[in-house]
Amino acid sequence: MVKDIKISARQFAILVILFSIGTTILVIPKSLAQEVKQDAWIAAVIGTGIGLLLVALYIAVGRMFPTKTLVEINETLLGKWLGKAVSLTFIFFSLNSTATLLFFVGSFLTTQVMPDTPIEAIYILFACILIMGIRLGLEPLARSAELLFPIFVFLFIVLVASIFLPPVQFKFENIQPVFETGIKPMIHAVFLFTSIFSLPLIVLLMIFPVSVNQPKAAEKNFFIGILIGGICLLIIIALTILVLGADSSARQTYPSYVVARKINVGDFLQRIEAIMALMWIITIYFKTAFYFYASVIGLAQTLNMKDYRPLTLPLGMIVISFSLIAHPNIVYVGTFDKEIWPLYVSTYGLVLPLLLLAVNAIRKKNKIPL
């Protein structure tokens, strides 16, 4: 079902970049500014370094059984019943994350772009595109990412270059004094950044290395992808703080979007915030798609189904319903992301891979057959 589908190492790198940027490009500047004020960019630098360490951890897990997905590795190392139980919780995590990102899409579009549109309509339309992408399979998704990535890069360059032009004003005192916030808030900010930026990459073990045609090259590209994603976010966070200041960034729901609104080049180049919106839609689509892909493929493998496609529509309907029920408003989601999400995602992004590596090491040491 999954093993016959192959994507290139280059496509995998693009998917890592788009996945890691995802929601982070709009959400994280506010969260970091609230925690460490003008030192937000420092938290992003440290968080990117931790992201590289986590990628090394995920590569180590993938190397144990290169022909198996994460769900199959769970059953192989933890046993049939315990492995299936762990996999079911991972599937729920992926499904819940899909619903959360769907809420972000609906909330952003109905508050910033199309305020008169019912949020349910946004959910249904986006979920239809999501289901269509997953039903077509991994290869079309990877090819579409390959086609859209140059557009994303072009829009990113235009956005950053436009910020450097008048009337947008930089104030370097906005990032001063450096290291003022202290160690404890910085640790919390780095943990928050890591929980949104790199810990969710665990879901990519559903396609890496089993569905990549050059696993060795993909390992290198995994590091390159997370590094490029981290640099893009660092640039956006630094520019947001420089233009708006830490206090204003902390008060705005989408501070980087507000920065884009300030761009006005000679009364000719205006409404650049549409570029930010398009960049975000591109990245969040692929992040949502791979959360959904992990839940659909994971459930199909747990239930020993030969074809995953019959699951796409019912799970898509569950995601829409879950978005409406579990995420009532943006304030609730903001609190969830700060207080619950970091620990929740750490269970799967850190504890689970370490557990699998430990079980495999014990099995090899005691020569326990699988």
Side-chain angles (χ1 to χ4, degrees), residues 148-164:
L148 290 171
F149 184 68
I151 298 174
F152 169 80
V153 172
F154 174 75
L155 294 177
F156 183 83
I157 293 170
V158 169
L159 177 68
V160 172
S162 300
I163 291 174
F164 283 94

Side-chain angles (χ1 to χ4, degrees), residues 106-155:
S107 175
F108 174 75
L109 290 178
T110 53
T111 56
Q112 304 293 329
V113 184
M114 297 182 288
D116 296 327
T117 305
I119 196 169
E120 294 84 359
I122 303 294
Y123 287 166
I124 292 169
L125 285 171
F126 198 82
C128 286
I129 301 168
L130 199 62
I131 292 167
M132 186 187 305
I134 302 306
R135 286 186 69 87
L136 288 171
L138 180 59
E139 289 180 4
L141 267 178
R143 290 194 192 105
S144 61
E146 206 169 12
L147 287 171
L148 290 171
F149 184 68
I151 298 174
F152 169 80
V153 172
F154 174 75
L155 294 177

Side-chain angles (χ1 to χ4, degrees), residues 53-66 73 205 208-209 219 222-223 353 356-357 360:
L53 295 176
L54 287 169
V55 166
L57 175 64
Y58 301 150
I59 288 172
V61 173
R63 282 177 177 172
M64 290 191 301
F65 300 96
I73 293 173
L205 286 180
F208 170 84
E219 290 179 4
F222 209 157
F223 285 110
L356 293 174
L357 286 172
N360 190 53

Side-chain angles (χ1 to χ4, degrees), residues 28-338:
I28 205 65
K30 173 187 177 177
S31 301
L32 294 187
Q34 287 176 336
E35 294 294 327
V36 288
K37 301 187 183 302
Q38 69 273 11
D39 289 337
W41 65 275
I42 300 173
V45 172
I46 299 171
T48 302
I50 294 173
L52 293 171
L53 295 176
L54 287 169
V55 166
L57 175 64
Y58 301 150
I59 288 172
V61 173
R63 282 177 177 172
M64 290 191 301
F65 300 96
T67 60
K68 296 181 184 292
T69 65
L70 179 63
V71 166
E72 291 172 322
I73 293 173
N74 288 339
E75 288 193 36
T76 302
L77 291 177
L78 303 178
K80 183 179 179 181
W81 297 110
L82 180 59
K84 284 185 182 295
V86 171
S87 294
L88 285 173
T89 65
F90 171 74
I91 291 161
F92 178 77
F93 160 76
S94 300
L95 211 58
N96 180 42
S97 300
T98 307
T100 304
L101 296 190
L102 193 61
F103 169 82
F104 274 120
V105 172
S107 175
F108 174 75
L109 290 178
T110 53
T111 56
Q112 304 293 329
V113 184
M114 297 182 288
D116 296 327
T117 305
I119 196 169
E120 294 84 359
I122 303 294
Y123 287 166
I124 292 169
L125 285 171
F126 198 82
C128 286
I129 301 168
L130 199 62
I131 292 167
M132 186 187 305
I134 302 306
R135 286 186 69 87
L136 288 171
L138 180 59
E139 289 180 4
L141 267 178
R143 290 194 192 105
S144 61
E146 206 169 12
L147 287 171
L148 290 171
F149 184 68
I151 298 174
F152 169 80
V153 172
F154 174 75
L155 294 177
F156 183 83
I157 293 170
V158 169
L159 177 68
V160 172
S162 300
I163 291 174
F164 283 94
L165 299 172
V168 181
Q169 293 183 343
F170 287 93
K171 294 181 180 178
F172 285 98
E173 55 267 28
N174 285 343
I175 59 170
Q176 297 170 344
V178 180
F179 289 116
E180 186 194 33
T181 50
I183 299 297
K184 191 174 179 181
M186 182 59 71
I187 291 172
H188 191 264
V190 169
F191 187 33
L192 191 62
F193 179 84
T194 306
S195 70
I196 299 173
F197 173 63
S198 49
L199 284 171
L201 289 167
I202 186 68
V203 302
L204 292 184
L205 286 180
M206 293 300 292
I207 65 171
F208 170 84
V210 61
S211 297
V212 183
N213 59 11
Q214 297 171 300
K216 287 294 180 184
E219 290 179 4
K220 178 183 176 183
N221 286 0
F222 209 157
F223 285 110
I224 293 172
I226 197 72
L227 186 61
I228 292 173
I231 291 170
C232 290
L233 292 172
L234 174 61
I235 291 170
I236 291 295
I237 291 166
L239 290 176
T240 302
I241 300 297
L242 282 167
V243 174
L244 296 181
D247 292 335
S248 181
S249 297
R251 287 194 300 268
Q252 300 291 339
T253 305
Y254 306 110
S256 54
Y257 189 74
V258 174
V259 171
R261 274 184 171 171
K262 290 179 174 289
I263 296 169
N264 181 0
V265 182
D267 291 327
F268 172 72
L269 191 62
Q270 300 177 3
R271 307 298 296 178
I272 295 295
E273 68 268 19
I275 287 180
M276 174 63 78
L278 183 56
M279 285 167 50
W280 187 69
I281 291 295
I282 290 172
T283 56
I284 200 172
Y285 173 76
F286 287 101
K287 188 165 189 173
T288 311
F290 280 97
Y291 271 129
F292 191 53
Y293 182 84
S295 58
V296 170
I297 296 294
L299 184 59
Q301 291 181 338
T302 303
L303 299 176
N304 297 322
M305 294 176 63
K306 291 183 178 180
D307 187 11
Y308 68 88
R309 287 176 180 83
L311 295 174
T312 53
L313 184 58
L315 286 180
M317 295 171 67
I318 289 171
V319 165
I320 295 171
S321 303
F322 202 50
S323 297
L324 292 167
I325 297 168
H327 307 291
N329 53 60
I330 195 69
V331 177
Y332 171 86
V333 174
T335 305
F336 175 83
D337 281 349
K338 285 184 68 175

